[in-house]
Amino acid sequence: MSRLSDPRVVQYWDKQHLFAEQLARRIESDASQPKPTCCSSKGIQWDEVAVYRQGTLWDRQLPRAVFLNGPVVAALDFSKMVKDLLSNSAANTAP
């Protein structure tokens, strides 16, 4: 993550799997949510990158991601991909 200097990038450690369980439920219940090609074990999503549009509100339901996949360690040119997604996301929300 140190290669991503954008202040919008945050890394979380989900020791109790609280976010991972919500993410798994969201993936299952929302057909338009991106479907990761890896990183699920016993109903827990792990080691994934989730990118959300700028200004996305987090409330009772987990928002829809622009990108969701992993594992982080296997992502080729990961920092460029996330920077491109963040740039495109910001451009798509500009007035």
Side-chain angles (χ1 to χ4, degrees), residues 17-60:
H17 308 295
L18 301 175
F19 178 80
E21 290 170 351
Q22 282 193 7
L23 181 58
R25 281 194 296 274
R26 177 70 172 180
I27 290 168
E28 182 72 25
S29 67
D30 184 351
S32 65
Q33 178 76 21
K35 306 294 187 241
T37 59
C38 77
C39 312
S40 178
S41 177
K42 299 178 185 174
I44 302 293
Q45 299 301 123
W46 56 274
D47 201 28
E48 292 174 332
V49 177
V51 178
Y52 297 89
R53 293 194 189 286
Q54 183 175 354
T56 296
L57 297 178
W58 291 65
D59 54 24
R60 299 180 106 188

Side-chain angles (χ1 to χ4, degrees), residues 53-55 88-95:
R53 293 194 189 286
Q54 183 175 354
N88 290 340
S89 178
N92 289 335
T93 60

Side-chain angles (χ1 to χ4, degrees), residues 6 8 51-55 66 82-95:
D6 192 302
R8 295 172 290 177
V51 178
Y52 297 89
R53 293 194 189 286
Q54 183 175 354
V66 174
V82 172
K83 286 176 185 176
D84 289 347
L85 284 166
L86 289 170
S87 294
N88 290 340
S89 178
N92 289 335
T93 60

